[in-house]
Amino acid sequence: MRGGTVLSRKFLRRTGIAAASLVGFAAIAVASLWQLNRAFPPPLPEKLAVSTEVQDRDGQLLRAFATPDGYWRLETRLDQVDKQFVDMLVAYEDKRFWDHDGVDVLALARAAGQFVSNGHIVSGGSTLSMQLARLIEPRDSRSFGSKIKQMLRAIQIERRLSKQEILERYLTLAPYGGNLEGVRAASLAYFGKEPRRLTVSEAALLVALPQLPERRRPDRNLGIAHAARDRVLTRMVSSGLLGEREAARAALDDVSGLRRKLPALAAHAAYAMLPKAVPGKPLQLTIRKSVQEGLEQVAKDAASKLGPRLSVAMVMADSRTGDILGEVGSADFFDASRSGWIDMTRIIRSPGSTLKPFIYGLAFEQGLVAQETIIEDSPADFSGYRPKNFDMGYQGDVSIRQALQLSLNVPAIRVLDAVGPARLTARFRQAGVSPVLPVNEAPGLAIGLGGVGVTLRDLVQLYTGLANGGKAHTLHDGTEPANAERSTATILDDQANWQITDILSGVKPPEGASQRGIAYKTGTSYGYRDAWSVGFDGRYVLGVWVGRADAGAVPGLSGYVSAAPILFEGFVRSGLATVPLPGRPAGVFSPRREDLPVTLARFGAVTEGLAQAAPTEPAPTIIFPPDGARVDLATNSPDASPLVLKLQGGRAPFRWLANGKPLTGIDRRRTATWLPDGAGYSTLTVIDAAGRAASVKVFVE
C-alpha cells in the first residue's frame, strides 16, 4: 500500500506538471497568436475600392465608372440583394456560416475524408469567410500552406467583421467572369437588372458562377453555365430550400448568353459629377431614371431620322422645384460625327422665336394689349431694322392671339418696340437668365427674333415661369457647387402669365402628334442653324434643340417641323402623367373683340389732336443732330445717305417736319430718318402727342 501511495503521488505530481505545462503552452500559444494577429492583420480597408456610381433621385443606378484597375465592382449591401439568393448561396457554399468562427471543422473533415476515399477533391471545405480571405489576399497556389493561411485569415476576419459585413464584402468582390466583380455588376450584365428580385433560375446561376467564373461564363460557355445552374438547383432540393417542382420549373428557364452593358445614362451630367466623387459614396443627380431613359431613346431615334451630323438635346424640369428630371446633351455621347461629347444643353445659341411669349407677356402686364387686340402684320421699318416673317409673307390685320400662335415676326417687333428691349432683358436677368449680347451693344429689337444668345437650360428655366404661374425657378441637376444659389423670381404676373399660357395651349400640334394638353412654342434661328421647341403642362417643362454642334446651316430645318414632333414624343416617353394647365386667375381681363375698349381695339392706334390730360413726361428735345450742326450728306451724289434724327422725352406718337413740311406719317419711335432735297440750311421740328415741339437748325452739305 505504501509503495502504491508513493506511485500515485508521483503520478499526480507528473500529471499536474504536464497539465500545467499544457496550460502554459496554450497560454503562450494564445498570446503568440494574439500578438501575431495584431502584428499581421488581414488587409481589410474600411472602404473597398469600388466603381464610382452616379444615381438618380431615387437611388437607381444611372451610370457607373470602372475602378482604376478596370473592374466593374459595385458596392453591395444585403438589402440590395434578393434574400432567396443569399439563402441559396449560404446553403451551397457554407451551410454553417452563421454558426462557425471562420473555419468549419466538420466541412474540412468531410472534404479530407472524400479526398482520401476518392483520390481527388470531391468538395471543398472553404467557408465564405475563407473565400473572402482569398479575395482580399489572392493566393499564388493551392498548396496546404495557402489553405492554412486562409483559415487563419478567416479567423482574423471573423474577429473584425460581423457576419453581415462578411457577406456584403463577399457579394461585392466575388468574381463573375471577365472584369465583373460582385453580384450587382453580374446581375446587371447578365440579366439587365439589379439583384433585388431574382428568379430562382437567375439566383442559382449567380450562386454557381464564382466557383469557376471564367469557365462558367454564360456569354462564353453557355452549356457549361447551364449545367452549373442545374447542379445548384439539385443541391437546393436536397438541402430542403427548394421543392422539386419549383426547381424543375426553374431548370426549364433559358440561360441567356448575352452580356449587357451596364447602365450608361446621363453621360454629360455623370461626367460633370466626377470631380465630386468620394470613394465608396454614390453621387446623386435630381434626374429620374425612367424619364432619362425615355428622353435618351427619343433623342437617339430622332437623330437617326434627321440625318448625319445632326444632334438633339433635351431638358425636362419640374417647374415647381427647378429639379431637372431628364437631360440629354446629345443624341449619342460616343458619336463623333455628331460631336456627341459636347453638352448642347449648355451651349449658347440663337433662340429664334422662342422668346416671343415673354414680349407679349410684358405687353399684357402693361395693359397695352388684349388677346383680341388687332395688330398689323405688314412690312415695317424700325429705324433701318426691317423684320420679315419666316415665310416671307404677311397676314395683314391679325389679333394678338393669332400673331403669337402663328409666330409672326413683324407684330412681335411692334410690341417689343412698345415695351422696350431693355425691359425684356431685365426681366430675364431677374429670372436668373443673362442673355448674351454682342460686345458693347445694348439690347435692341433684334432680340425678339433671336438676336441674342441663350442656352437650352436658359430657355427651360424661363418657361418654368409660364408653367408655374409666372414664377421661374433656378434649374439644378446636382452638378452645381454646394453653395450654388437657388432662387425663385417672377417672370410675369399671374394674369399676364395666364394669357400667354392660354394662347400657347391653342397652338396646333405637329402632324401625327397626340393631344397632350400642353402649351408650346417653336423657334428657328437665322440661317437654319437651330430648331427649338419648348412646351409645358401644369407642372413639367420640356425643351428641345435640334441642329449641328458646329453651328452649320441645315436647309429645311425648322422648329415646327424638326423639333416639335420630338417635344411631343418626349412628353409621351417620359412616362410622366400630364398635369392640367392652371385655371384662369381671378380678375383676368379677356373680353371678346366687340367688347374691347377703344384703347385696346387696335395696337398702336393714335388719336390726333390735343391730349386729354396734362402730360407728365418731359418736353421733347432733339439730341441729334445738335442745333447749328454742319452735316455732310453728299447731297450732290447719287449715293446720298439720309440723316438719322433722334429725340428724348415727349409723349408718343411723334410727327416730324422739315422746313415746315411733314415727313411721312407719325411714329411712336424716338428715331426717324430724313433725306434733304439739297444743300443749305434746314429747320427740323418734332411735335409730340401733347402738342409740344422742339426744333434745331442744321446746315446740309
Side-chain angles (χ1 to χ4, degrees):
M1 290 292 294
R2 184 180 180 87
T5 302
V6 172
L7 288 173
S8 296
R9 288 176 179 173
K10 288 182 179 179
F11 176 77
L12 291 173
R13 188 182 303 114
R14 290 174 181 174
T15 303
I17 292 171
S21 298
L22 286 172
V23 171
F25 177 78
I28 292 171
V30 170
S32 298
L33 288 174
W34 184 75
Q35 290 293 340
L36 288 171
N37 180 50
R38 293 189 61 186
F40 301 99
L44 288 173
E46 184 177 348
K47 288 289 185 181
L48 296 175
V50 294
S51 297
T52 297
E53 294 183 44
V54 180
Q55 299 178 349
D56 81 341
R57 63 193 298 115
D58 301 316
Q60 296 190 70
L61 182 64
L62 289 172
R63 193 180 194 91
F65 295 90
T67 61
D69 52 355
Y71 284 89
W72 296 110
R73 184 187 303 134
L74 305 179
E75 187 171 21
T76 306
R77 302 186 311 273
L78 281 182
D79 61 6
Q80 296 175 301
V81 182
D82 191 308
K83 184 180 183 302
Q84 186 177 42
F85 163 76
V86 176
D87 292 341
M88 292 171 67
L89 173 68
V90 172
Y92 191 79
E93 293 284 359
D94 187 2
K95 64 181 179 181
R96 281 177 286 275
F97 170 73
W98 300 105
D99 301 317
H100 63 64
D101 292 323
V103 178
D104 187 346
V105 178
L106 294 176
L108 287 174
R110 184 200 70 236
Q114 291 173 338
F115 178 75
V116 171
S117 301
N118 296 279
H120 61 86
I121 296 175
V122 176
S123 64
S126 293
T127 63
L128 287 171
S129 303
M130 291 171 65
Q131 292 182 48
L132 176 59
R134 185 174 70 246
L135 292 172
I136 64 175
E137 202 171 26
R139 63 188 180 188
D140 298 327
S141 65
R142 296 173 60 90
S143 65
F144 180 74
S146 296
K147 180 66 73 173
I148 293 297
K149 184 178 180 180
Q150 273 183 38
M151 295 165 62
L152 294 174
R153 285 300 197 200
I155 295 171
Q156 288 182 299
I157 289 170
E158 291 270 351
R159 293 175 61 86
R160 288 166 169 79
L161 301 177
S162 68
K163 291 289 187 179
Q164 177 174 322
E165 290 172 328
I166 291 170
L167 264 181
E168 289 181 338
R169 294 209 175 200
Y170 174 83
L171 294 174
T172 300
L173 296 173
Y176 280 91
N179 63 344
L180 296 176
E181 288 191 355
V183 68
R184 285 185 61 209
S187 183
L188 288 164
Y190 294 133
F191 311 137
K193 65 180 183 181
E194 292 276 359
R196 286 188 179 88
R197 288 182 175 82
L198 299 171
T199 67
V200 173
S201 173
E202 291 167 346
L205 180 62
L206 293 180
V207 167
L209 288 180
Q211 292 180 338
L212 295 169
E214 291 304 321
R215 181 170 173 76
R216 295 177 177 177
R217 284 178 60 173
D219 60 322
R220 297 278 182 87
N221 303 297
L222 184 58
I224 295 175
H226 197 287
R229 181 207 63 179
D230 290 349
R231 283 195 294 272
V232 173
L233 292 173
T234 301
R235 180 86 66 83
M236 293 304 101
V237 173
S238 63
S239 67
L241 203 61
L242 291 178
E244 291 186 4
R245 290 186 177 181
E246 186 178 11
R249 285 196 300 270
L252 295 175
D253 291 345
D254 290 332
V255 175
S256 172
L258 175 67
R259 173 174 166 171
R260 300 165 177 81
K261 294 181 179 179
L262 266 64
L265 299 168
H268 297 91
Y271 278 102
M273 287 290 280
L274 279 181
K276 294 184 175 184
V278 175
K281 185 177 181 181
L283 300 166
Q284 194 162 40
L285 294 167
T286 64
I287 285 171
R288 182 171 293 163
K289 185 177 182 180
S290 57
V291 174
Q292 186 69 26
E293 287 177 324
L295 295 187
E296 288 197 16
Q297 191 60 52
V298 169
K300 187 174 182 179
D301 293 345
S304 65
K305 294 177 183 177
L306 289 166
R309 306 191 72 177
L310 278 165
S311 193
V312 177
M314 307 173 77
V315 174
M316 178 168 255
D318 185 337
S319 69
R320 299 178 187 176
T321 63
D323 288 353
I324 292 178
L325 303 179
E327 54 184 334
V328 181
S330 64
D332 185 345
F333 184 83
F334 297 103
D335 189 341
S337 69
R338 304 180 198 273
S339 301
W341 60 86
I342 300 177
D343 185 356
M344 296 305 299
T345 69
R346 297 175 182 267
I347 300 299
I348 295 172
R349 305 298 279 261
S350 164
S353 297
T354 56
L355 300 181
K356 287 177 181 175
F358 303 99
I359 297 173
Y360 288 100
L362 289 178
F364 277 109
E365 269 191 8
Q366 297 174 39
L368 299 178
V369 298
Q371 289 197 31
E372 295 303 322
T373 297
I374 296 299
I375 189 168
E376 187 179 357
D377 178 36
S378 60
D381 186 333
F382 299 88
S383 301
Y385 178 52
R386 301 179 179 87
K388 294 179 175 60
N389 287 326
F390 185 76
D391 61 2
M392 306 304 290
Y394 297 94
Q395 302 290 319
D397 283 352
V398 294
S399 67
I400 290 292
R401 181 181 181 87
Q402 292 170 324
L404 179 53
Q405 289 182 342
L406 296 174
S407 196
L408 302 176
N409 289 344
V410 177
I413 298 305
R414 291 187 191 278
V415 175
L416 180 59
D417 190 37
V419 301
R423 179 173 293 174
L424 180 66
T425 54
R427 192 64 64 90
F428 290 161
R429 286 191 294 271
Q430 181 178 316
V433 172
S434 297
V436 177
L437 294 163
V439 179
N440 298 324
E441 282 198 19
L445 296 178
I447 66 174
L449 304 183
V452 67
V454 297
T455 68
L456 179 58
R457 286 171 65 111
D458 290 336
L459 272 181
V460 172
Q461 183 163 318
L462 292 175
Y463 274 74
T464 61
L466 296 181
N468 193 42
K471 299 187 182 303
H473 282 275
T474 302
L475 295 191
H476 52 273
D477 61 5
T479 62
E480 301 80 14
N483 59 351
E485 182 180 355
R486 297 184 183 182
S487 61
T488 304
T490 299
I491 185 73
L492 292 173
D493 69 36
D494 61 341
Q495 297 193 18
N497 193 82
W498 180 86
Q499 300 279 9
I500 297 302
T501 299
D502 185 56
I503 292 173
L504 295 181
S505 67
V507 178
K508 181 182 178 182
E511 186 176 353
S514 60
Q515 291 283 352
R516 289 283 299 178
I518 64 174
Y520 80 107
K521 183 73 183 74
T522 61
T524 308
S525 69
Y526 177 78
Y528 303 96
R529 289 174 170 82
D530 311 274
W532 306 84
S533 186
V534 191
F536 57 94
D537 61 15
R539 179 164 188 173
Y540 303 110
V541 181
L542 176 59
V544 176
W545 169 88
V546 177
R548 286 175 47 160
D550 61 3
V554 184
L557 188 74
S558 76
Y560 188 77
V561 173
S562 307
I566 301 174
L567 175 81
F568 278 77
E569 184 66 15
F571 266 106
V572 172
R573 299 285 287 276
S574 72
L576 298 172
T578 302
V579 179
L581 291 165
R584 179 197 297 254
V588 167
F589 179 65
S590 186
R592 297 175 300 175
R593 182 173 301 174
E594 56 268 26
D595 297 329
L596 287 171
V598 174
T599 54
L600 288 177
R602 174 176 287 273
F603 180 79
V606 179
T607 302
E608 299 277 355
L610 297 176
Q612 299 299 312
T616 57
E617 302 87 354
T621 303
I622 298 175
I623 59 173
F624 190 86
D627 190 36
R630 299 179 70 89
V631 183
D632 186 359
L633 299 179
T635 53
N636 295 326
S637 168
D639 298 324
S641 57
L643 178 65
V644 176
L645 313 176
K646 298 181 181 181
L647 68 89
Q648 284 184 345
R651 173 188 292 178
F654 307 99
R655 184 184 297 278
W656 288 88
L657 301 94
N659 299 319
K661 180 180 179 181
L663 301 183
T664 304
I666 55 178
D667 206 322
R668 301 182 63 87
R669 297 167 299 169
R670 285 178 165 75
T671 60
T673 57
W674 168 58
L675 187 62
D677 296 329
Y681 281 102
S682 291
T683 300
L684 301 173
T685 302
V686 65
I687 304 172
D688 74 353
R692 296 170 297 181
S695 298
V696 295
K697 183 174 286 190
V698 297
F699 186 85
V700 177
E701 298 178 338

